Structures are given as C-alpha cells and as structure tokens.
Amino acid sequence: MRRFSGCGFLLSGEFCWWSIFTLVQLLPFQAQGLWGERTEQLRHVRRHWVWNQFFVQEEHIGLEPLYVGKLHSDLDTGDGSIEYVLTGEGAGTVFTVDVNTGDLHAMRRLDREAKAHYTLRAQALHKHTGQLLEPESAFTIRVLDINDNEPKFQGEPYQATIPEMSAIGTSVIQLKATDADDPTYGGNAVVAYSLVQGQPQFSIEARTGILRVSLPSMDREQREQYHVIVQAKDTGGQEGGLTSTATVTVTLSDINDSPPRFTQELYQMSISESAAEGSVIGYIRAEDQDVGVNADMCYSIVGGDGQDIFDISTDPTHRFAIITVKKALDFETRECYTLQVAVANTQLDSRYLSLGPFTNATNVTVTVEDVSEPPVFCEPLYYVEVPEDLGVGVELLMVSARDPDVTNDSIRYFIERSSDPGRFFSMDTFTGSLLTERALDREEIQWHNITVLAMELNDLSQIGSVSVIVKVKDVNDNPPRLWKSEAFVCNDAESGKLIHTLRAVDLDDPDGIQRLYYSLEPEASNNPNFSLRDNQDNTAGIFVKRGSFSIEEQTSFHLTILVWDEESPIQTGTSTLTLHMCQCEENGKDRACSTKVQELRTFGLTHHTLAIILACVIIPLAATLITLSLRKWHRRKSRRRTRYPYSADTSIRENIVIYNDEGGGEADTKAFDLHVLWEGKARQGAKCAIACGVGCGVSPLDEYILVRLKEVDADIRPPPYDSIRGYAYEGEGSRTGSLSPLHSSPSSSDQDYEFLKDWGLYFRKLALLYGVLERKEPL
C-alpha cells in the first residue's frame, strides 16, 4: 500500500493541513528479476487508502505554481523506482504532479465561484516495469473562498407605496441582496443592510433588509415621494467588507386627512330680475388638498333668507358649486338675498375623523338687478328658399329686432359662427341683412340652420337670438353619368341580341323623377358591331349588330355613350362603356360568360394550343392510372393464388381481429392489407406461393418480399406486442425521372422566360419578377 500527504493554506496562511495515510499490511506479490528469474516470494498484508481533502486558496496570484500538497506511498524508499500519476478533473491543465516526488501544484489561478472543488485520482507505478503497485485512489482538492464578490440586489429598481400618516414601524418593502461567496466559510457571504439616505423618515433592519417607517405623520400634501438609498455590506457589515447600493422610491398614497375649505368668507353675486328658472347665478369653489375620491365634496344651502328662491348643485368633475334660480325674481319685491352654503367630503374615513371637522361654510349675497331685457326679434323664426346658383353677396332676407326697454338702445346683428361652420353667410351688422358669403351647392348641403344674434349697443350682455332656416333649391348643374361602365358579350352572340342595359344617375335628381335620354356619340352612330336603343324609361339597351366575334382579333370594344336630362339648362354627360369579349358556355336557357377563358385568350392561347396542352396533361395522367390499376390487379391476383392457413370456421371475408393491445402506437396499424390480420402468419413452406404466385416467376417485387420475409423469420427480437410489418416497396422508378426539387438546377440561369412577354397583361408581374421585362417597358 501507499501513503499520501497533502497540505493546503487558509486565508491568512496560519494553518497547514497534512494528510498522512498509512496502512500496515502489504498485498502479496511476486517480484520478477531483471533476467526473468523468479525472486523469492514476499508476504504482503493488504492495507486501505484513507484520503483527506487538499485545500487551495482561490484567486492566488504568483509567478510560480502554487504548492498544494504531496502524494506519497510507503513503498517509496526514495530510490526513484516509483512514478506518481495524476488523473481526473483538471489533471495536467489545472493541477500537475511531480512524477518522482509526488509534489502537487496548481498551475493557474482558481475561482471558487466557478468551481468549488476538484476530484482527482492518484496512482503509484513501478517506474521500470509499469506495474501498478497499489490500487488507484481518489481525493478532493477544495478551493477555499476569499471575499472577492460584493452583494448584489435583486429586483431593482424598487418601488413602494404606503399611506400617508403611517405609524412608526410600518413595513415598506423588504430588500434582498445575495453574495456569491461561500456562505459556509467565514462571513464573506453574510450581508448586513444600512441606510445611506432616507433618515429620519425610514429605517432598515440590518439582517432582514426590511425597510420600515421611523417618523410618524408623514404628510403627502407636504411631500409625496422619498428616495431612500440602501447599502448592502458583506462580512456581516464589518469594516473592510464589500458593498453595493440600491435606491427605493417610496410614494405616499393619499388618505382623507384634509377637510375642504372655502377660500372666501363672503361671495357676492347679482342676477337680473328677468332671469328664467334654472338660470345660473354664479359659481363658488372649496379647496381640498386630497386627491381622488378623498377630494369629492358636496355643496348645500343650510341657511339664509333665499333657501326657497335659489338652488345649489355640485359639478362632480370639477368639484365646484353651481347656484341657480329656483323661482321667478322681482326687483320691486326684493332686491337682495343672503344664502349660507356648506361643503362636506363625501368619502369619510373613520380613522381620521379626529383631523376634522370635514365640513366648512360660507355666506353668499345675491343682488337682484333691474336691468334691461335682451332684444326681441319681430319673428320667432325666419325661413327662406334660394336657388343654388344664387351667387355671392346676394341678400337673402332682412331680420329685425327691438329693445323692449324704455331706453330703446341701438341693436347690432351677428351670426353665431358655430351655427354656420362653413362660413356660407354673412350679416350686415347695422341693417340685419343676411347675405351669401360663398356659393351654395344643393348637392353638398341642402339645409342651413343659422342662429342670428341681436345685441344692444350700450349693454353687450343683452343678446337675443333667432333661427333662420335656408333651403337651397336644386338647379340643373350636374350631367348624368352611367351607373356601370363595363359589360361582357359572348363571342357567338347573335345579331339583334340585347347584351346590356344602361342605367344612369343624376346628382340633380336623387329621386329619379327627371327624364334621361341616351344615344351613341355621333362619330359612333354607324358602329358596325353594336347599336343603342333608348327604352324611354330612363334606361337604354345595347344590341349586337353582327355575330361571331373573334376573340383572337379583338378582346374588348369601347362605346362612347351620351346621356342628357330634360331640365333647363340641359346637361349632357359623356361616358365610355367597355364591352369585354369572352367565350361562353351553355347554362340551360341562359348563357354564362366564363372569365377564365377570357384570361387565356388574353394570354394569346388559341384553341389549338389549348388542345395540345390538355393532351400533354391528360395522356401522362391516363398512363399513370393504367399502371396503378395493373399493379393493383397483379397484387390481388397474387393474393388470390396464395394459400394461407386459416381456421375452418373462419368466415370467407375480411375480418379485423381485435388484440386489445395498443402496441407501439398508430404506426402499427397504418394502411396495411387486412388479409394479414385475418390469415395470421404464413407457413414457412408457403413463402414461395406468397412471393411467386402460381408460376413462381420471380419479379423484383416478389424478390423483395422474399428477402424481407427471411429477415423477419430470422429476427430473434420481435416486439413484445402484436404488430404489422411494412415492406415499403417503392417500385422500379419512373420513365419521366425524378420530379424532386433536390435534383433540379440550383439556379434558373439556363431557363428562358422570354415567352412571358407574349402572355399578356395578366403575366406582367411574373415577367417583371423573372427580369424579362423592365418596369417601364410596355407589353
């Protein structure tokens, strides 16, 4: 047996660990002489290896390899006959051993956080014979930790929210910092927390990292947000430890701790005696420093001599009070009223009632004024009808208003611009004449509802209003247009056949009452192909003059149609009707036009070309179907000639035997012949009949099946369930060769796509993609 010793160093180098492992007994063996002679047999007693750990400090920096320990065997007498071998993790790269002395060294700087220990194996060999003197033994080199990692916070940035006025000790948030150093060795990974910024409002528990409130009565209305800086320090917070910091943003949420307050002790208002019920007298507002629902408030009249005359309401959005007239006012009866208005929060928190009271009151004085009444128009409503071609600057009508007061102030007239956003009209301020500012268009706007204001010259607050309704009458200023500009005609249409019915629309006559007329353009009146007939019902028909059109010669015709109305001035519209020629098919009594044939014709394909293409497609398909049918017929014939052993009481039909075993999944039962399930496994002597049929004329398929049957019979490891074997015979190949894209040319440089230019407009995009046509080049 052998003895090893190891030495490792702690952080300060105060301790040295030596591991000496010794056993007393030696294993018996026979030594062989140099000349092959047998030496005397020695008696050895078997001993056992006992290993301790070697230790090496991480991040050791030095010019020489770091000495770790010594490997030693008690059979080593110092004569150099023993050779030490080191294997395992890092052997030869991280750690090396002196083969003669057993000295163990670390060749490079180690990082405990990357790898904390290494497991290696040592051997002692006879240097001359290579004989293993003792069994291989494993040992561990542990990397000792140093404080080379600072704590790191998790989950940054930190955000926390607590209610304002929180009590001392209220938990705000718990921070967590981790240290990658060894938590079991010294205090390198022990983290302590402290505050760098945030006192005296907050404090933190050094061990747990819980941030707590340390100052009571923090008021959100004075300061809403705090930025607390927390420091984490390893080695338990001792001097020399590594540190890191994190910032916690603490936001104070609102509570209802601020009552509403009026900014004035007395508010003064006035209202005209002619004010109608519901008229607004004025507004008052109370201020509340809270936010959200905590600032919601309600106003009420709680006293005064005007409780029955006035009313108050609360605007829920802007939180102000609206004072309105409740009953009719009379200046001669009473000139002044006093109101006592109170305000209170609607959302009270019983925990903070001691901070109240959460109500406040103020006084409002309302003075009734004997003021002039607004101007009154002579008519309650003005109505006028004007033609749409009236022109600009033309007077439509004149409005008139008077001052009902004794003073009889002068009146000025204006248009309320929100009622005339298009600025179609203008108003003479002095006379009240309503004029056109822009040209009117019935097709754009038929009705205008204008509000005209009358204002007293000496009292601009007195304003009266009246509505002026202007109806724009229609003028025949739009020519009629065709409803549809395209139609289709069969190439074999007979002479005199109606192929399309024309319909037109006229913006001047949306109800369809106006009479419309149709005709061909004078230059096209002698058109040899088509004629037009007015149906005298605002429609017209297009008829064929001659039949048997040739799509090869012309694919479409263009007819210029004139449509005019009967009102003065007569408006005539010119539209182009495009007739597309196409091949038609019989569809009962009607004839349906096939646009697919039209597209092929557009590509320049004739009947002869189409026949050749169809023949090239149909013939290979027919040959393929015949081949598949013959193969299927031969397989059925071969199965009929093959005799399978079966039970006498088995029905003469295909039955599926249920094994109640799902086997290997769907792959076991996918698309196989049911005869295999019915008949079971064939006899060894029936293989020739299965493969060859009656005549035993071996075909490639038969030979393939025979080979696979032999492989199955010789298989000594069949699956532990009932299954079906597939033979997957792919045949002898195809005359047309492979159609796989794997055998295709990797580029299309040898292909000529010039023919795409001749295929018409529908293949223009494809021609552009293959580069045979420039974007500006016509077809």
Side-chain angles (χ1 to χ4, degrees):
M1 297 296 291
R2 56 189 173 179
R3 181 178 61 219
F4 293 87
S5 63
C7 179
F9 299 93
L10 295 178
L11 291 174
S12 59
E14 297 177 357
F15 300 99
C16 180
W17 297 34
W18 296 90
S19 299
I20 305 175
F21 309 96
T22 309
L23 292 177
V24 180
Q25 299 179 352
L26 297 175
L27 293 175
F29 71 95
Q30 291 183 345
Q32 190 74 19
L34 296 176
W35 303 99
E37 298 179 356
R38 187 180 302 273
T39 61
E40 65 177 350
Q41 182 173 359
L42 300 178
R43 182 178 182 184
H44 300 274
V45 179
R46 179 177 181 84
R47 292 177 291 181
H48 300 280
W49 290 104
V50 179
W51 289 97
N52 284 332
Q53 291 182 339
F54 290 96
F55 297 90
V56 60
Q57 193 178 57
E58 69 169 329
E59 306 296 344
H60 176 79
I61 302 175
L63 300 177
E64 300 295 334
L66 177 64
Y67 179 75
V68 178
K70 189 177 185 66
L71 304 180
H72 184 72
S73 173
D74 57 0
L75 296 180
D76 189 354
T77 59
D79 58 356
S81 62
I82 293 182
E83 177 181 351
Y84 295 95
V85 179
L86 182 68
T87 59
E89 295 178 335
T93 56
V94 182
F95 302 99
T96 61
V97 65
D98 191 317
V99 296
N100 297 317
T101 65
D103 290 337
L104 189 64
H105 290 84
M107 301 302 295
R108 64 186 186 190
R109 184 171 61 181
L110 304 179
D111 186 2
R112 188 203 68 83
E113 285 72 40
K115 189 170 180 62
H117 63 273
Y118 296 83
T119 302
L120 297 101
R121 296 179 296 276
Q123 293 180 342
L125 305 177
H126 194 284
K127 183 178 294 185
H128 300 293
T129 64
Q131 182 181 0
L132 181 65
L133 299 180
E134 293 179 352
E136 182 182 73
S137 180
F139 64 94
T140 302
I141 298 178
R142 181 181 175 186
V143 183
L144 295 179
D145 183 53
I146 65 172
N147 191 15
D148 59 342
N149 290 276
E150 72 277 1
K152 295 186 180 298
F153 283 94
Q154 302 175 357
E156 291 188 88
Y158 293 98
Q159 303 282 342
T161 302
I162 59 173
E164 61 176 330
M165 301 295 177
S166 294
I168 296 177
T170 301
S171 176
V172 179
I173 191 175
Q174 183 173 14
L175 287 78
K176 180 68 175 178
T178 58
D179 197 312
D181 291 323
D182 190 355
T184 64
Y185 183 79
N188 295 340
V190 179
V191 180
Y193 302 91
S194 62
L195 289 185
V196 178
Q197 175 183 308
Q199 300 93 344
Q201 291 86 359
F202 302 95
S203 63
I204 192 169
E205 296 181 0
R207 294 301 179 189
T208 62
I210 298 177
L211 186 66
R212 297 186 182 275
V213 175
S214 60
L215 184 66
S217 304
M218 285 190 290
D219 192 356
R220 185 200 65 83
E221 286 72 33
Q222 296 181 3
R223 184 177 177 181
E224 184 176 4
Q225 202 169 73
Y226 297 85
H227 297 283
V228 182
I229 300 178
V230 180
Q231 181 188 76
K233 190 175 185 180
D234 59 15
T235 66
Q238 297 180 5
E239 186 176 356
L242 302 178
T243 63
S244 63
T245 60
T247 300
V248 182
T249 302
V250 181
T251 303
L252 299 182
S253 61
D254 184 60
I255 63 172
N256 194 5
D257 60 338
S258 298
R261 292 288 182 265
F262 285 107
T263 58
Q264 297 177 218
E265 294 183 357
L266 177 64
Y267 294 86
Q268 294 183 345
M269 300 178 183
S270 60
I271 186 68
S272 171
E273 63 174 335
S274 60
E277 295 181 7
S279 300
V280 176
I281 302 175
Y283 309 91
I284 59 175
R285 179 191 296 273
E287 301 293 338
D288 193 327
Q289 295 182 353
D290 294 323
V291 295
V293 296
N294 295 327
D296 288 344
M297 59 189 72
C298 180
Y299 300 86
S300 61
I301 299 176
V302 296
D305 54 12
Q307 295 186 65
D308 298 333
I309 306 300
F310 303 98
D311 198 2
I312 193 169
S313 60
T314 303
D315 184 283
T317 303
H318 302 93
R319 301 187 179 105
F320 57 78
I322 307 172
I323 301 177
T324 57
V325 177
K326 187 176 181 180
K327 292 183 179 179
L329 301 174
D330 186 4
F331 173 79
E332 288 72 26
T333 303
R334 191 171 188 127
E335 299 180 9
C336 185
Y337 295 89
T338 301
L339 302 174
Q340 187 177 10
V341 178
V343 62
N345 280 137
T346 59
Q347 304 292 332
L348 296 179
D349 194 329
S350 59
R351 296 174 297 175
Y352 309 105
L353 292 179
S354 60
L355 302 176
F358 290 90
T359 61
N360 193 237
T362 188
N363 295 316
V364 180
T365 300
V366 180
T367 302
V368 180
E369 297 179 348
D370 185 15
V371 294
S372 59
E373 300 179 27
V376 177
F377 284 91
C378 299
E379 299 290 339
L381 177 70
Y382 290 90
Y383 175 81
V384 62
E385 295 183 358
V386 295
E388 61 179 322
D389 61 348
L390 184 62
V392 177
V394 179
E395 180 181 342
L396 303 182
L397 55 81
M398 179 181 293
V399 298
S400 178
R402 63 179 180 85
D403 183 4
D405 298 322
V406 179
T407 57
N408 195 17
D409 288 342
S410 299
I411 305 298
R412 298 294 182 263
Y413 302 92
F414 306 94
I415 294 178
E416 186 180 19
R417 281 307 171 192
S418 61
S419 65
D420 183 26
R423 300 292 194 273
F424 286 97
F425 305 96
S426 63
M427 176 68 68
D428 190 316
T429 307
F430 298 94
T431 64
S433 296
L434 183 65
L435 309 174
T436 56
E437 185 73 15
R438 288 176 50 192
L440 304 178
D441 188 355
R442 186 200 65 86
E443 287 72 39
E444 181 181 355
I445 301 177
Q446 185 177 4
W447 294 89
H448 296 268
N449 191 351
I450 307 168
T451 300
V452 177
L453 305 178
M455 181 183 298
E456 292 185 11
L457 182 60
N458 296 324
D459 189 356
L460 301 181
S461 63
Q462 298 301 318
I463 300 175
S465 63
V466 70
S467 294
V468 178
I469 299 176
V470 180
K471 179 182 179 181
V472 182
K473 299 174 64 177
D474 184 45
V475 174
N476 193 25
D477 57 349
N478 289 281
R481 301 290 182 184
L482 287 181
W483 179 259
K484 292 183 179 181
S485 61
E486 285 188 327
F488 296 89
V489 58
C490 297
N491 64 330
D492 58 351
E494 299 177 357
S495 178
K497 181 178 179 58
L498 173 66
I499 60 173
H500 182 65
T501 299
L502 297 177
R503 288 179 174 83
V505 292
D506 192 338
L507 297 178
D508 293 324
D509 186 32
D511 298 328
I513 302 175
Q514 186 174 204
R515 175 74 169 86
L516 300 179
Y517 301 90
Y518 301 83
S519 71
L520 291 176
E521 189 181 29
E523 290 77 2
S525 58
N526 296 325
N527 190 295
N529 302 311
F530 306 97
S531 62
L532 184 147
R533 181 188 304 166
D534 196 325
N535 297 327
Q536 305 298 319
D537 59 355
N538 284 3
T539 65
I542 299 297
F543 295 86
V544 177
K545 277 189 175 181
R546 66 178 183 85
S548 301
F549 295 94
S550 175
I551 299 179
E552 289 80 0
E553 296 178 358
Q554 189 169 354
T555 59
S556 62
F557 295 88
H558 302 283
L559 297 179
T560 303
I561 310 297
L562 300 180
V563 186
W564 65 93
D565 51 31
E566 62 179 356
E567 290 190 7
S568 179
I570 296 176
Q571 298 290 337
T572 302
T574 303
S575 303
T576 300
L577 176 66
T578 302
L579 297 175
H580 298 282
M581 303 299 301
C582 55
Q583 185 73 31
C584 292
E585 300 173 356
E586 291 291 341
N587 184 15
K589 294 182 179 180
D590 298 329
R591 302 175 70 86
C593 190
S594 173
T595 59
K596 298 296 182 182
V597 176
Q598 167 62 21
E599 293 176 1
L600 292 176
R601 291 301 180 182
T602 305
F603 302 153
L605 300 179
T606 63
H607 289 285
H608 182 68
T609 304
L610 289 174
I612 295 176
I613 293 175
L614 292 176
C616 293
V617 173
I618 293 174
I619 292 175
L621 288 176
T624 302
L625 292 175
I626 293 173
T627 303
L628 293 176
S629 300
L630 290 175
R631 287 184 179 179
K632 185 175 181 181
W633 179 80
H634 282 296
R635 285 198 296 269
R636 289 180 178 177
K637 183 177 181 181
S638 176
R639 285 197 294 268
R640 287 197 300 269
R641 294 178 179 179
T642 304
R643 297 181 180 179
Y644 296 91
Y646 59 92
S647 175
D649 56 353
T650 302
S651 177
I652 308 301
R653 65 178 181 273
E654 293 181 345
N655 294 329
I656 299 177
V657 180
I658 300 176
Y659 291 92
N660 291 327
D661 183 2
E662 293 187 7
E666 295 181 359
D668 297 339
T669 59
K670 184 179 180 182
F672 292 107
D673 190 0
L674 297 181
H675 283 84
V676 179
L677 291 175
W678 174 38
E679 299 295 352
K681 188 174 180 180
R683 297 191 306 272
Q684 183 70 21
K687 293 178 181 179
C688 180
I690 293 174
C692 306
V694 178
C696 279
V698 180
S699 66
L701 176 60
D702 299 334
E703 182 179 358
Y704 175 83
I705 295 177
L706 286 174
V707 172
R708 293 304 303 272
L709 285 174
K710 291 180 180 179
E711 292 176 359
V712 172
D713 293 337
D715 188 5
I716 62 175
R717 293 181 295 179
Y721 47 80
D722 295 325
S723 63
I724 301 176
R725 289 184 179 267
Y727 294 97
Y729 182 73
E730 294 186 1
E732 299 179 4
S734 173
R735 296 179 180 179
T736 61
S738 174
L739 297 177
S740 171
L742 298 176
H743 302 289
S744 301
S745 174
S747 67
S748 60
S749 59
D750 56 345
Q751 298 292 331
D752 184 12
Y753 297 100
E754 292 293 327
F755 60 91
L756 293 175
K757 290 184 177 180
D758 302 327
W759 281 22
L761 181 62
Y762 291 94
F763 282 82
R764 177 182 176 84
K765 186 68 175 179
L766 190 61
L768 290 172
L769 292 176
Y770 279 92
V772 299
L773 186 64
E774 297 295 333
R775 293 191 177 275
K776 296 183 178 180
E777 181 181 349
L779 286 173

